Amino acid sequence: MPVLGGQSTVARARYPRAVTRPPDRWTHADVLAAVKNKAAETDALDFKRDLYTDTGEFAADLVSFANSGGGVIALGVEEDKLTRRASGAPGVVVSEGATNWMTQAAADLVEPRLEWRPVALEEAGQPSFYLLTLRAPREGLHAVRVGDGYRFYRRDGLRKRSMNIAEIAARFKGDRPLREMARELGDQSFRAISTQAAGGWLTLTTIPRAPGHWHIDTAAVDALRNERLQVRNAQPWLHAHLWSGMTERTLAGGRVLVRSDGEKVSLNYELFSDGSSVLSQSLRLLFTPENVVRPGDLVQRVYFLVEYAFKHAIRAEAGPRLHVLVEFRPPENAVLRFNDYGGEFAYSGPSRLAVEDAADLSEPPLLVARRLLTGIFQAFGVPEVEHVTADGRLSLQRWPEIDRTMWPPEVWATRA
């Protein structure tokens, strides 16, 4: 999984001999060294003497870099217009106001949401700089909103230009679909845990359409732990079902792996720094010894996986939309049956049932869960998920009294 700060977005840039780091990792000293060595602009590195004052020009520059594979814009570095090399370091005024102006302009004018970061470089008694680091979109292109329409830009050598219709169409057609990325992540996780628990798996994989920047470190793991403690205190039954016996480990590759103790893995959460996640739940607890699936339990599992994936994506500022893939992997050769729907319905679907959805982070997680569950329920021969209403709330008629105490009051639909 690529992490912001890697070499891929700026591999085309030439660096002065005195600077060994790529521009997206430059320090204040690196900027001064680049100026001293008259570093050349490239298609992935641009110098600007002053702060932007025109929001349209600013948005177009950001989009042109993102649509061309990413890169860095250094503010406060003067260039020689003839040689296109750094010629001075007058610096710019670094302030909260300037940072907020850039952040708001990008949010207002660029769609979909950019993955970018303004980094302020300051040293006492020295000129200050901004490094604007851009990364390419996961799929498609970024565009600048102009009136009621949009304009697409890209880098052409050392300049930006508008893209023509043929270029835009070819780019969208040739991009790797998000569903392939989701399935690849899910498969990687499943291979690591498939031999450690029998009884089938329910896996939820999310890929942000606009990757975020969640720093996975000790503080992030502490945040996960604190969140679990809050769940335990507020809903002890949920903690017993989902979180008891869990441990956290920070791994390489910008992810946190959370799994249960002991020989049997019942829950496996992989949380990536760009807001992606793979959340796998063993289905052992959902089945009776007769392989009967309790529909309410399945609704609970999918809902809480969706809710947790949403919380992680929001924490990582990866929004506003996610590609969501839920996969139902029943035990091999098992004959599964639903109860609680006026009879028993046998599972007749494939050994790996995949259901996809494009979810908005502002949507109620129950509503997203209902859309995903529809495909699973229909594989059992049940046409509707009657446990959840069409507006994303729980139906009182479908839940026994004991279950009604396990959910917060606000998720219940009013009885007709």
Side-chain angles (χ1 to χ4, degrees):
M1 173 64 60
V3 179
L4 187 64
Q7 303 245 1
S8 60
T9 62
V10 290
R12 303 180 305 279
R14 302 180 211 151
Y15 316 127
R17 284 175 293 178
V19 181
T20 59
R21 283 177 289 272
D24 61 346
R25 297 180 185 176
W26 276 0
T27 64
H28 188 276
D30 290 332
V31 176
L32 294 179
V35 173
K36 180 180 179 181
N37 289 273
K38 294 180 170 46
E41 288 187 330
T42 72
D43 58 349
L45 175 64
D46 193 21
F47 299 128
K48 299 287 184 184
R49 184 184 189 280
D50 303 309
L51 293 172
Y52 286 91
T53 57
D54 183 279
T55 55
E57 179 187 4
F58 172 68
D61 280 353
L62 295 186
V63 164
S64 69
F65 273 96
N67 288 342
S68 303
V72 172
I73 303 173
L75 304 183
V77 177
E78 191 168 13
E79 62 172 316
D80 185 294
K81 298 299 182 183
L82 294 177
T83 64
R84 305 301 294 265
R85 291 180 175 273
S87 60
V92 293
V93 176
V94 168
S95 68
E96 182 179 356
T99 302
N100 291 342
W101 184 93
M102 291 187 288
T103 302
Q104 192 62 51
D108 289 344
L109 296 180
V110 179
E111 291 191 13
R113 178 181 176 270
L114 273 171
E115 183 180 8
W116 76 292
R117 184 169 54 186
V119 178
L121 301 178
E122 299 179 275
E123 290 288 343
Q126 298 287 330
S128 299
F129 311 99
Y130 274 109
L131 293 183
L132 313 183
T133 304
L134 286 302
R135 198 168 80 177
R138 282 198 178 278
E139 65 172 354
L141 295 164
H142 289 292
V144 178
R145 189 183 301 110
V146 180
D148 294 332
Y150 296 91
R151 295 195 69 175
F152 296 84
Y153 296 92
R154 60 158 296 164
R155 295 280 285 178
D156 190 354
L158 303 184
R159 303 180 185 276
K160 69 173 178 287
R161 67 169 175 83
S162 296
M163 298 179 67
N164 58 48
I165 294 176
E167 288 178 309
I168 296 170
R171 182 67 167 269
F172 279 97
K173 183 178 179 180
D175 276 340
R176 184 182 183 192
L178 288 179
R179 65 175 58 92
E180 292 184 15
M181 299 178 66
R183 293 195 182 199
E184 181 178 314
L185 276 185
D187 285 345
Q188 290 174 359
S189 179
F190 184 71
R191 283 194 295 269
I193 61 177
S194 59
T195 61
Q196 301 182 48
W201 287 89
L202 184 70
T203 299
L204 183 83
T205 304
T206 60
I207 302 286
R209 290 186 175 274
H213 306 289
W214 184 44
H215 298 287
I216 296 185
D217 50 21
T218 302
V221 176
D222 289 342
L224 289 175
R225 185 179 296 109
N226 291 335
E227 186 170 305
R228 284 173 43 207
L229 290 175
Q230 293 174 7
V231 170
R232 184 185 66 186
N233 295 334
Q235 297 171 306
W237 66 273
L238 175 60
H239 180 81
H241 275 279
L242 286 182
W243 294 107
S244 59
M246 298 294 292
T247 59
E248 303 94 349
R249 287 190 294 146
T250 302
L251 301 181
R255 65 180 182 176
V256 167
L257 178 65
V258 188
R259 62 172 51 165
S260 57
D261 289 326
E263 297 179 359
K264 297 293 186 181
V265 175
S266 60
L267 197 65
N268 191 71
Y269 282 16
E270 294 188 67
L271 310 177
F272 296 84
S273 59
D274 66 349
S276 300
S277 63
V278 184
L279 317 179
S280 297
Q281 166 77 67
S282 171
L283 294 177
R284 287 178 300 163
L285 299 178
L286 268 72
F287 304 142
T288 68
E290 296 78 25
N291 276 336
V292 172
V293 181
R294 295 179 287 266
D297 287 347
L298 186 58
V299 171
Q300 286 180 357
R301 294 303 194 280
V302 173
Y303 164 67
F304 287 116
L305 293 180
V306 171
E307 183 184 50
Y308 196 80
F310 271 39
K311 288 181 178 179
H312 171 62
I314 292 170
R315 184 190 295 123
E317 297 182 351
R321 293 178 68 79
L322 298 174
H323 180 83
V324 184
L325 174 69
V326 65
E327 292 189 278
F328 180 70
R329 303 173 188 248
E332 188 176 358
N333 299 322
V335 178
L336 308 179
R337 300 186 303 278
F338 253 0
N339 63 3
D340 191 32
Y341 264 78
E344 293 188 353
F345 298 81
Y347 178 74
S348 58
S351 60
R352 177 180 173 180
L353 176 66
V355 183
E356 300 176 79
D357 187 59
D360 193 310
L361 285 173
S362 63
E363 293 184 281
L366 261 173
L367 184 60
V368 177
R370 185 182 191 273
R371 296 199 298 262
L372 295 168
L373 284 159
T374 296
I376 298 176
F377 273 50
Q378 288 178 352
F380 276 88
V382 179
E384 289 290 337
V385 185
E386 296 178 4
H387 282 72
V388 185
T389 64
D391 61 349
R393 292 185 292 174
L394 297 178
S395 172
L396 283 169
Q397 291 88 341
R398 273 295 175 188
W399 295 86
E401 195 66 37
I402 187 172
D403 287 327
R404 299 179 194 176
T405 64
M406 296 181 178
W407 297 77
E410 60 269 17
V411 303
W412 293 100
T414 304
R415 184 188 294 272

